[in-house]
């Protein structure tokens, strides 16, 4: 029962974290922050949420397919028992999460959980599949959040530069009372659309996970 609960938790967290990474990066691309991308409106939340779920399903499709073919179908045909079904499903999730988890992050959570692991990276890599999901899931969570913030930062910087240039220009012209966001927002939207920003954002998100 504990293994089943751990498996369900891990699968839920994997979906949620991939969606969280898509959400944070997508929001940064849509808004670019409070000032650097101030469009006064985050856009249609329903459309953004639907797009995040579609990207998440695309990203997780290989894992879902592997669980279906290697765990669910044999279990449905009564070729394996419930314990084996849980173990095979957990192995598929572990393989997916470990592929995008840095070894130093994994080692940190092993130290926090008081789990002895090899000091060298090669030994830890070989032993990683034997670790519990309670260690792998938070390590994967940390990696996804780091990737989301990094993507958001890359989107924020050009919008911030546009704000600086517009503010400096308005100050030099003596137009102090004119809100810089009123001038800079069209340039931000033009920049994002002209470089095909949505395609670049979504493709980098999926490719970054795979």
């Amino acid at each position: 029962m504990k293994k089943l609960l751990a498996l369900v938790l891990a699968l839920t967290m994997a979906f949620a974290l991939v969606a969280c990474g898509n959400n944070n990066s997508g929001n940064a691309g849509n808004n670019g922050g409070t000032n650097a991308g101030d469009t006064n409106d985050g856009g249609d939340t329903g459309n953004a949420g639907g797009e995040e779920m579609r990207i998440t399903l695309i990203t997780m499709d290989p894992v879902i397919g592997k669980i279906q073919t290697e765990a669910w179908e044999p279990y449905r045909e009564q070729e394996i028992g419930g314990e084996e079904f849980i173990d095979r499903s957990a192995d598929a999730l572990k393989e997916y999460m470990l592929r995008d988890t840095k070894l130093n992050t994994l080692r940190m959570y092993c130290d926090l959980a008081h789990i002895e692991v090899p000091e060298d990276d090669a030994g830890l890599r070989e032993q990683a599949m034997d670790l519990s999901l309670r260690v792998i899931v938070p390590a994967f969570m940390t990696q996804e959040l780091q990737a989301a913030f990094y993507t958001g930062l890359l989107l924020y910087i050009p919008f911030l530069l546009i704000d600086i240039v517009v503010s400096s220009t308005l100050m030099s012209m003596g137009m102090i009372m004119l809100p810089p966001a009123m001038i800079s927002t069209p340039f931000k939207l033009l920049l994002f659309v002209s470089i095909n920003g949505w395609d670049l954002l979504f493709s980098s998100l999926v490719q970054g996970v795979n």
Side-chain angles (χ1 to χ4, degrees), residues 44-83:
D44 190 343
T45 306
N47 290 337
E51 190 63 32
E52 292 156 15
M53 285 304 302
R54 284 189 288 270
I55 296 176
T56 301
L57 290 175
I58 291 174
T59 305
M60 296 288 294
D61 183 67
V63 184
I64 298 173
K66 187 173 183 179
I67 293 176
Q68 180 180 359
T69 55
E70 297 184 4
W72 170 247
E73 291 180 356
Y75 176 75
R76 185 181 58 185
E77 299 295 332
Q78 298 183 351
E79 297 177 1
I80 60 175
E83 191 79 13

Side-chain angles (χ1 to χ4, degrees), residues 110-125:
C110 289
D111 293 339
L112 293 176
H114 303 288
I115 298 176
E116 295 184 359
V117 293
E119 294 295 334
D120 58 309
D121 291 345
L124 178 59
R125 190 177 293 107

Side-chain angles (χ1 to χ4, degrees), residues 121-144:
D121 291 345
L124 178 59
R125 190 177 293 107
E126 293 178 359
Q127 191 178 332
M129 286 295 294
D130 298 329
L131 295 174
S132 173
L133 285 172
R134 68 187 178 92
V135 175
I136 298 176
V137 169
F140 176 73
M141 176 192 307
T142 303
Q143 202 64 41
E144 286 297 302

Side-chain angles (χ1 to χ4, degrees), residues 166-183:
V166 171
S167 298
S168 301
T169 303
L170 293 178
M171 287 287 292
S172 64
M173 296 174 62
M175 305 175 67
I176 303 176
M177 302 301 296
L178 182 64
M182 184 180 300
I183 306 299

